[in-house]
Every structure is written in structure tokens, then in C-alpha cells.
């Protein structure tokens, strides 16, 4: 998932389409061979000989700087035979989406494509049994969507062996037999409307009832149907469950935050409106490919020279501008951690963190010991170079313990790199949901209160610094709250709204998922208040909010769940995460939780006019004292 790579190696990969053009032709030929194996290919009219798939923007072909990474052939009316051998000739292929087409017959031999990360076959007529070991060699798979087909037989046991699996949708098929014992931290799960039977594994008991609905033979939590068993079966199950419990104590499950963001918010939006094709990939989450840093070869020498001296007219390290108008090095906006250049990043060992709604992210450890987080952003083209530079320098001047201040940036018209200090504990989303065996236990009530109050203070600072902005933050969610070693929260991805074109902002920023935009087609500082409310409820309940997902499947609608309590103190306590509201919690702590539960509920009032403002929310949060 996060193997070390070298930027120079990535650079050589990125340069490949510009040098050995025959490689692009071989991939083009592979796609043309695939096209010839299909029927009703009118939607693939752009797939023609003597053209490059990435440069010519072939329909459904997703690329990273000339490297084919995905095929999104959704809603194209395709049928016929899928030529797997031709797909095998595309080494960078990581995502295949054939959703809502007319394919039928047994599942094709996608198991020959060992590097796949997402296999999306929803809404076809595939049928028959899937071999139990079908997924055994697809160790990189994170998303498997087989729903709304006609598959029969048992759910393949090999699915439970996919250590990186975070999305599994098998609903509306004819699967039979028991559910395998999944031990992964699956974020989005749906097994409904099959013919499954037997007891739901304990590891899946935390999911919503809807994930298992329509399977009359299933029993056990979270269903109300209690399993009955013979004495022999009970004895066997008790031994099996004891072994399983012991195993669970040793298993570190979960997903890094940026990869869940991968799941939650990262779409690689193209200019020809392909957003709908990715709706089931988890908008804002994800292609999750290796992050490439593409630097024009003519600029490589300049990056090293700028680190040694460089033009200081703009007061930062590496302020050279290339002939084409792109900056050739990193522009330092905050030198508290020292100065460095693009050459240092190119030589650094890098680790993929994942994709989010605003771009790819990775960790880089430079030779002199500094660890940084680098975000690669393609959609920030609203401002020209000088305007963007002014905003970055403004960000670099910010100083607040709960705000992540950028260190440097790299500007190109097509994309930007934003470099910040690496926060080792990761995001709140990961600590709260990603690894309940290790991280979640750290989040006792005093720690959660500290996090909520730190978030509030950070938001108060942003509302002062960016008081003229419609969205002082704009993308407040748990994946953008980083935790340092003392669990002090640090807010990231803030105040990007003025840098983004409106259409891109609407796709990528969480503020546009609030009722403010969905109902009233506008955003305002009150949108940030709503996002704060979701965060408060998420921290108090321990539930993953369904509001973070774009497809309406998975997670918990924390707003409706909290509103359902009807101000009943007993019901309200039932909403709280048992790990902080158990019998060990004293009355004062419980009262504090309920007090903040009310603040969160008032922050998520659907009508912005009736919603409390940020100042009032912060005041009431600060009133809560341990």
C-alpha cells in the first residue's frame, strides 16, 4: 500500500510517453484489441488507430501524465467478450469500471490482473458461481462492486483475505451459504438482497441492518433474529468464536486516512464531465494510484541551483520562473523547518498516503531528515501565478497551534504541489475509524474533548483571518483534522475556495455536500458551522458519517440519528460511543457529552438561517470543562 518509491524513478516513468513513444502505441493497440472484442462500441468512437489514448483523451481512459491508470467504461451499452489478455498489456492499469453495461456470462478472468485496486462490475448480467480462490492473487484490491448481477453460489472466501479491502458491494445477486469471516475494516459494505444464511460473523455485527436486509436465512447481530443452534453447533461456535476473539486481539486492521478519503472524496475529474462515472467509487476517494510528480526535464538542473542560491526577489527559496511560465522549483513560504528545493523532494523516499477530494497526497523523507506531506492538486486554476503566489505567502504567514501552515509550494499551470510538515499520528478519521484495535482506544473522553475544543479554536482563527471569505475553511471533515503526538488537532485543506473554479469546488469540497448547497444552491460561513456539527457528532458517537459518502450507501446518518433522540436524556446517552459513555464514565463527563451533543445538533440545523453561528458554537464548546 505504501511501498517506498523514488521521485527520480517516478520522474522517469512520467517521461516515458515523451521518449519511447512505442510504449504508448502498444497500450493503444491493446485497447483497440479490447474494443474489437466488444459489441455495441459506438461510445468508443474516439478509440482510433494512430492516436495516443491519453493525449487524444479516448473515452473512458483515465491517465496520470501519459500513463493509463484506469478504464471507466460506465453506461456505454457495451456487451460481448472482455479480452483480459489485452488488459494485461497495460501495466499501469489500477481501476476497471464496467458498471451499468450489458455484459453477461461468468465473471471474466480479472484475477489475472494482479495489480488492480478497484473492480467495479455493478449493473450487468454476469452470472454463475465465482471460484472460492478467485481473488487470492488480487492482493491490492480495495474496492469490489459486484452488485446487481446474477451471481450464484457462495461468497468467495478469498474476498475475506484481501487485507486492503475497504469497499464491498454484493447486493442484489443470488449468493447463498454463509458469510465469510471478514476481518478487514470495511468502510462501505452491502450484502443485502441475496440468499445468504447462517449467523452473521461477529466482526460484521457493527454494520447497519440494511447491509444484510433481504437475506431471510441470516441471523445474529445487527439483525433482531436470534440464531438457534443444536448443542453440538453451540459448542463448536463457542470454540470458534473464542479463537476468533484471540485472533482479533492480534490483528491491526484498518485503512490510512488519505486512502479512506480515497474512498470518501477523491475523484479524478476530467474536463469532459465524467463525474457521474465515479459516483460509486466514493467521490473524493478514489482512484488511489501511485502519486507521480511530473517535473519538466528542462527544469531539473534549475531546482538544484536554486537550492544553493537562487533568485531572492520574492523573498523565498527557489523563485525562478521557467520560460513557459511555470516555476521551476519550490517556493518557500515558511522556513521554520529549514529551506529545501524541488531537488530534495525528487531524491527523497516517498510513501503514498492516498487521494482526497482536492488531490493526491504522499509523505516524503528528505536526506537531511525532514519529513513532509506533499499534496498534488490539479484543480486550483482560478488564480494566475501571481495571485496564487500571494495566497500561498498569506498561508505561510499563519501561526496557530491548531492550523497546519504550509512550508512551500511548486507552481505549474496544470497542477500545484503544496508542501507541509508531516503529522505522524495521521488524521482523526483514521484514529477514530481506521484501526479500532490500536488507535481508537486512545480516544478517551478528555482526549475527545481536547480534540473538539482544538478544532473549534482553529476554526475561530480561520474565521478571523479569512473573515471576508464565503468559506473560511470549506472542507472541514475528520480526514482533514490531523492529530499530533499529544492528540492536539491541526486543521488542513482550509481556505482553498477562492483558488478553485466553482465547478471543481462543488465536486471536491465538503461544504458543498451540506443542505446549504443541496437545498438552497449557496454556501456561506454557516456551511462551515454545519461541517463542524458533523465532526462533533462523529467524535461523540464514534460513527462514520454517511454524509462523507456521495452514493448514500454506508456509514451512519449522524444527523438523523441524533435528531431521533427527541431530547430524551436516556435516548441521548444511547447515541454516545460506548467507549466513552460506559459504566466507567462519571456523571460530570456524561453531562459534558450531552452538552456538546446539543451543540452539534444545533450546528446541523438544515436551515442556515436557524443555525447557530460559528462564534456562538465556539463559545459553547469552550464552556465545557473537564
Amino acid at each position: 500500500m505504501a511501498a517506498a518509491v523514488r521521485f527520480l524513478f517516478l520522474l522517469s516513468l512520467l517521461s516515458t510517453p515523451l521518449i519511447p513513444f512505442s510504449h504508448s502505441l502498444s497500450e493503444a493497440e491493446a485497447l483497440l484489441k479490447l474494443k474489437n472484442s466488444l459489441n455495441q462500441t459506438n461510445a468508443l468512437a474516439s478509440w482510433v488507430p494512430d492516436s495516443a489514448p491519453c493525449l487524444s483523451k479516448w473515452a473512458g481512459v483515465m491517465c496520470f501524465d501519459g500513463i493509463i491508470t484506469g478504464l471507466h467504461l460506465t453506461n456505454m451499452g457495451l456487451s460481448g467478450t472482455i479480452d483480459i489478455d489485452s488488459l494485461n498489456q497495460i501495466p499501469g492499469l489500477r481501476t476497471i469500471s464496467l458498471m451499468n453495461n450489458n455484459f453477461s456470462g461468468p465473471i471474466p478472468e480479472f484475477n489475472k490482473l494482479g495489480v488492480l485496486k478497484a473492480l467495479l462490475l455493478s449493473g450487468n448480467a454476469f452470472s454463475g458461481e465465482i471460484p472460492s480462490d478467485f481473488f487470492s492473487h488480487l492482493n491490492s484490491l480495495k474496492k469490489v462492486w459486484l452488485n446487481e448481477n446474477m451471481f450464484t453460489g457462495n461468497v468467495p472466501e478469498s474476498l475475506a483475505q484481501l487485507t486492503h479491502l475497504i469497499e464491498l458491494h454484493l447486493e442484489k445477486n443470488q449468493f447463498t451459504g454463509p458469510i465469510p469471516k471478514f476481518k478487514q475494516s470495511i468502510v462501505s459494505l452491502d450484502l443485502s438482497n441475496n440468499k445468504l444464511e447462517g449467523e452473521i460473523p461477529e466482526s460484521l455485527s457493527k454494520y447497519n441492518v440494511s447491509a444484510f436486509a433481504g437475506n431471510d436465512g441470516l441471523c445474529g447481530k445487527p439483525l433482531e433474529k436470534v440464531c438457534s443452534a443444536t448443542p453440538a453447533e453451540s459448542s463448536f461456535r463457542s470454540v470458534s468464536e473464542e479463537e476468533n476473539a484471540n485472533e482479533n486481539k492480534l490483528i491491526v486492521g484498518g485503512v490510512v486516512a488519505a486512502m479512506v478519503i480515497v474512498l470518501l472524496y477523491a475523484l479524478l475529474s476530467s474536463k469532459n464531465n465524467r463525474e457521474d462515472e465515479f459516483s460509486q467509487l466514493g467521490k473524493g476517494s478514489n482512484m488511489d494510484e501511485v502519486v507521480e510528480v511530473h517535473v519538466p526535464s528542462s527544469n531539473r538542473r534549475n531546482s538544484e541551483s536554486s537550492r544553493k542560491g537562487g533568485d531572492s526577489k520574492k523573498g523565498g527559496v527557489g523563485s525562478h520562473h521557467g520560460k513557459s511560465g511555470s516555476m521551476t522549483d519550490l517556493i518557500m513560504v515558511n522556513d521554520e523547518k529549514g529551506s529545501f528545493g524541488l531537488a530534495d523532494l525528487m531524491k527523497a523516499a516517498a510513501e503514498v498516503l492516498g487521494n482526497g477530494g482536492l488531490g493526491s497526497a504522499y509523505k516524503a523523507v528528505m536526506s537531511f531528515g525532514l519529513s513532509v506531506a506533499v499534496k498534488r492538486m490539479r484543480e486550483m486554476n482560478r488564480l494566475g501565478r501571481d495571485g496564487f503566489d500571494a495566497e500561498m505567502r498569506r498561508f505561510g504567514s499563519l501561526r496557530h497551534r491548531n492550523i497546519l501552515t504550509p512550508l512551500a509550494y511548486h507552481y505549474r499551470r496544470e497542477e500545484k504541489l503544496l508542501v507541509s510538515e508531516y503529522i505522524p499520528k495521521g488524521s482523526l478519521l483514521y484514529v477514530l475509524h481506521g484501526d479500532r484495535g490500536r488507535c481508537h482506544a486512545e480516544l478517551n473522553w478528555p482526549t475527545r474533548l481536547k480534540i473538539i475544543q482544538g478544532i473549534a479554536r482553529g476554526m475561530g482563527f480561520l474565521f478571523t483571518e479569512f473573515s471576508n471569505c464565503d468559506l473560511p475553511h470549506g472542507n472541514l471533515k475528520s480526514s482533514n483534522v490531523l492529530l499530533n503526538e499529544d492528540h492536539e488537532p491541526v486543521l488542513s485543506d482550509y481556505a482553498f475556495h477562492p483558488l478553485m473554479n466553482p465547478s471543481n469546488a462543488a465536486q471536491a469540497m465538503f461544504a458543498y455536500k451540506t443542505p446549504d448547497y443541496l437545498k438552497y444552491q449557496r454556501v456561506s460561513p454557516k456551511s462551515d458551522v454545519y461541517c463542524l456539527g458533523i465532526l462533533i457528532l462523529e467524535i461523540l458517537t464514534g460513527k462514520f458519517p454517511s454524509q462523507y459518502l456521495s452514493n448514500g450507501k454506508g456509514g451512519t446518518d449522524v444527523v438523523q440519528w441524533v435528531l431521533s433522540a427527541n431530547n430524551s436524556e436516556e435516548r441521548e446517552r444511547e447515541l454516545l460511543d460506548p467507549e466513552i459513555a460506559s459504566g466507567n464514565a462519571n456523571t460530570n463527563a456524561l453531562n459534558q457529552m450531552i452538552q456538546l451533543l446539543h451543540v452539534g445538533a444545533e450546528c446541523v440545523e438544515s436551515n442556515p438561517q436557524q443555525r447557530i453561528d460559528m462564534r456562538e458554537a465556539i463559545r459553547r464548546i469552550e464552556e465545557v470543562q473537564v
Side-chain angles (χ1 to χ4, degrees):
M1 174 184 72
V5 293
R6 291 278 177 182
F7 283 93
L8 288 176
F9 173 70
L10 290 174
L11 189 61
S12 67
L13 285 179
L14 290 167
S15 303
T16 300
L18 301 177
I19 301 172
F21 191 66
S22 60
H23 179 70
S24 292
L25 287 178
S26 66
E27 291 191 339
E29 291 169 353
L31 290 180
L32 290 173
K33 183 182 177 186
L34 172 66
K35 178 182 177 180
N36 289 336
S37 71
L38 304 177
N39 300 325
Q40 304 299 322
T41 58
N42 293 337
L44 304 181
S46 58
W47 293 25
V48 294
D50 301 323
S51 65
C54 296
L55 294 177
S56 301
K57 297 183 179 179
W58 286 15
V61 178
M62 306 305 298
C63 301
F64 267 124
D65 295 299
I67 300 174
I68 297 175
T69 58
L71 290 180
H72 293 267
L73 311 180
T74 303
N75 292 311
M76 289 188 172
L78 301 173
S79 61
T81 303
I82 299 169
D83 190 331
I84 299 297
D85 291 336
S86 65
L87 295 176
N88 234 336
Q89 302 302 310
I90 307 174
L93 190 61
R94 297 293 182 270
T95 301
I96 295 177
S97 174
L98 301 173
M99 297 187 298
N100 302 324
N101 282 289
N102 299 316
F103 293 107
S104 61
I107 187 170
E109 294 179 305
F110 291 112
N111 53 344
K112 290 183 177 180
L113 309 177
V115 294
L116 278 185
K117 294 191 175 183
L119 180 61
L120 310 172
L121 306 179
S122 310
N124 284 282
F126 290 114
S127 60
E129 297 188 15
I130 302 176
S132 179
D133 62 349
F134 184 86
F135 297 95
S136 296
H137 301 296
L138 297 174
N139 298 321
S140 299
L141 267 182
K142 296 182 178 183
K143 305 166 192 174
V144 179
W145 291 71
L146 306 180
N147 51 296
E148 298 178 57
N149 281 283
M150 295 184 289
F151 289 116
T152 57
N154 290 351
V155 174
E157 288 283 347
S158 51
L159 281 172
Q161 300 165 12
L162 299 176
T163 55
H164 301 303
L165 188 66
I166 55 178
E167 288 189 12
L168 178 62
H169 282 254
L170 305 180
E171 68 268 22
K172 296 183 180 179
N173 279 285
Q174 300 176 37
F175 286 112
T176 56
I179 300 174
K181 290 185 170 69
F182 290 93
K183 298 176 183 178
Q184 306 95 317
S185 293
I186 300 175
V187 176
S188 183
L189 175 73
D190 196 338
L191 307 177
S192 63
N193 297 304
N194 281 283
K195 300 178 180 179
L196 300 171
E197 54 191 7
E199 185 171 5
I200 296 173
E202 184 179 358
S203 60
L204 302 184
S205 61
K206 63 183 179 180
Y207 292 93
N208 193 284
V209 172
S210 61
F212 309 98
N215 292 282
D216 294 338
L218 287 180
C219 60
K221 293 183 178 180
L223 301 178
E224 296 182 357
K225 183 178 180 181
V226 179
C227 297
S228 59
T230 63
E233 290 172 333
S234 299
S235 175
F236 172 80
R237 182 160 57 247
S238 64
V239 173
S240 174
E241 289 176 350
E242 181 178 354
E243 292 174 349
N244 187 49
N246 291 333
E247 290 176 359
N248 285 341
K249 292 178 182 178
L250 302 175
I251 293 174
V252 179
V255 210
V256 296
M259 286 191 165
V260 173
I261 297 198
V262 167
L263 166 65
L264 301 178
Y265 296 99
L267 283 180
L268 298 177
S269 303
S270 66
K271 291 184 180 179
N272 39 356
N273 261 340
R274 295 183 187 153
E275 288 87 350
D276 289 343
E277 298 178 10
F278 309 139
S279 60
Q280 296 195 50
L281 288 177
K283 270 192 181 175
S285 180
N286 307 299
M287 297 287 296
D288 196 34
E289 324 296 351
V290 171
V291 180
E292 307 93 340
V293 178
H294 178 64
V295 183
S297 58
S298 61
N299 294 339
R300 288 183 230 173
R301 290 190 299 273
N302 293 337
S303 62
E304 181 61 35
S305 63
S306 63
R307 175 162 163 74
K308 294 178 180 178
D311 187 351
S312 60
K313 290 181 181 179
K314 287 209 164 194
V317 173
S319 296
H320 294 299
H321 298 264
K323 295 179 180 179
S324 64
S326 64
M327 295 186 179
T328 63
D329 197 10
L330 291 177
I331 309 302
M332 298 297 301
V333 295
N334 175 6
D335 59 3
E336 288 185 346
K337 300 297 179 180
S339 298
F340 48 90
L342 193 60
D344 298 294
L345 280 183
M346 290 171 63
K347 295 175 183 176
E351 181 178 308
V352 176
L353 297 178
N355 276 354
L358 297 179
S360 322
Y362 54 90
K363 171 188 175 184
V365 182
M366 287 180 274
S367 59
F368 52 92
L370 178 64
S371 296
V372 296
V374 184
K375 177 155 285 188
R376 180 189 190 207
M377 299 171 291
R378 290 177 175 269
E379 308 298 347
M380 293 194 172
N381 300 318
R382 190 172 186 175
L383 299 181
R385 184 175 61 199
D386 291 340
F388 188 86
D389 178 74
E391 287 299 308
M392 290 298 105
R393 292 181 185 279
R394 181 184 182 186
F395 289 163
S397 68
L398 300 178
R399 298 292 185 274
H400 191 279
R401 67 183 299 181
N402 300 118
I403 295 297
L404 183 67
T405 302
L407 303 176
Y409 76 92
H410 172 71
Y411 181 95
R412 292 179 64 210
R413 184 166 54 187
E414 299 84 3
E415 65 184 11
K416 285 83 181 168
L417 301 182
L418 188 60
V419 184
S420 306
E421 180 184 0
Y422 175 70
I423 308 298
K425 190 171 283 292
S427 73
L428 173 62
L429 184 142
Y430 171 58
V431 176
L432 190 58
H433 307 295
D435 190 349
R436 297 183 74 90
R438 178 173 65 86
C439 298
H440 191 270
E442 303 174 8
L443 297 181
N444 56 29
W445 171 238
T447 299
R448 297 197 201 196
L449 177 57
K450 175 182 180 179
I451 292 171
I452 292 174
Q453 291 181 332
I455 293 170
R457 290 163 189 157
M459 290 302 294
F461 177 80
L462 292 178
F463 266 60
T464 299
E465 289 293 321
F466 300 96
S467 58
N468 295 326
C469 294
D470 289 338
L471 295 172
H473 193 295
N475 206 26
L476 182 63
K477 53 188 177 182
S478 56
S479 59
N480 289 332
V481 177
L482 308 177
L483 300 179
N484 65 21
E485 292 298 335
D486 297 324
H487 290 95
E488 189 71 41
V490 182
L491 306 185
S492 66
D493 279 17
Y494 52 83
F496 286 161
H497 188 246
L499 309 180
M500 304 180 68
N501 293 322
S503 60
N504 294 329
Q507 289 296 323
M509 304 186 80
F510 185 45
Y512 282 85
K513 306 298 187 293
T514 65
D516 307 38
Y517 187 76
L518 298 178
K519 291 184 179 180
Y520 307 107
Q521 295 297 300
R522 56 186 173 84
V523 291
S524 71
K526 287 287 189 76
S527 306
D528 275 341
V529 175
Y530 188 94
C531 298
L532 174 64
I534 294 291
L535 254 179
I536 294 172
L537 300 182
E538 179 181 3
I539 294 170
L540 290 172
T541 65
K543 301 293 185 181
F544 178 84
S546 61
Q547 284 79 4
Y548 290 164
L549 301 173
S550 63
N551 54 23
K553 298 181 178 180
T556 299
D557 187 337
V558 292
V559 175
Q560 290 302 316
W561 200 45
V562 170
L563 293 179
S564 69
N566 294 323
N567 292 321
S568 164
E569 184 174 344
E570 183 178 350
R571 288 290 309 280
E572 287 175 340
R573 292 191 178 188
E574 293 176 358
L575 303 176
L576 300 171
D577 189 339
E579 297 206 21
I580 58 173
S582 63
N584 297 325
N586 59 48
T587 302
N588 185 47
L590 288 171
N591 289 338
Q592 293 166 356
M593 297 175 204
I594 298 299
Q595 190 176 344
L596 282 177
L597 197 67
H598 292 166
V599 176
E602 292 187 45
C603 286
V604 296
E605 165 62 48
S606 61
N607 187 337
Q609 301 301 321
Q610 299 175 10
R611 191 180 306 156
I612 61 174
D613 61 21
M614 183 62 73
R615 180 179 297 180
E616 174 66 11
I618 294 172
R619 184 190 67 79
R620 291 176 57 182
I621 291 171
E622 292 284 18
E623 284 180 348
V624 179
Q625 298 296 328
V626 177

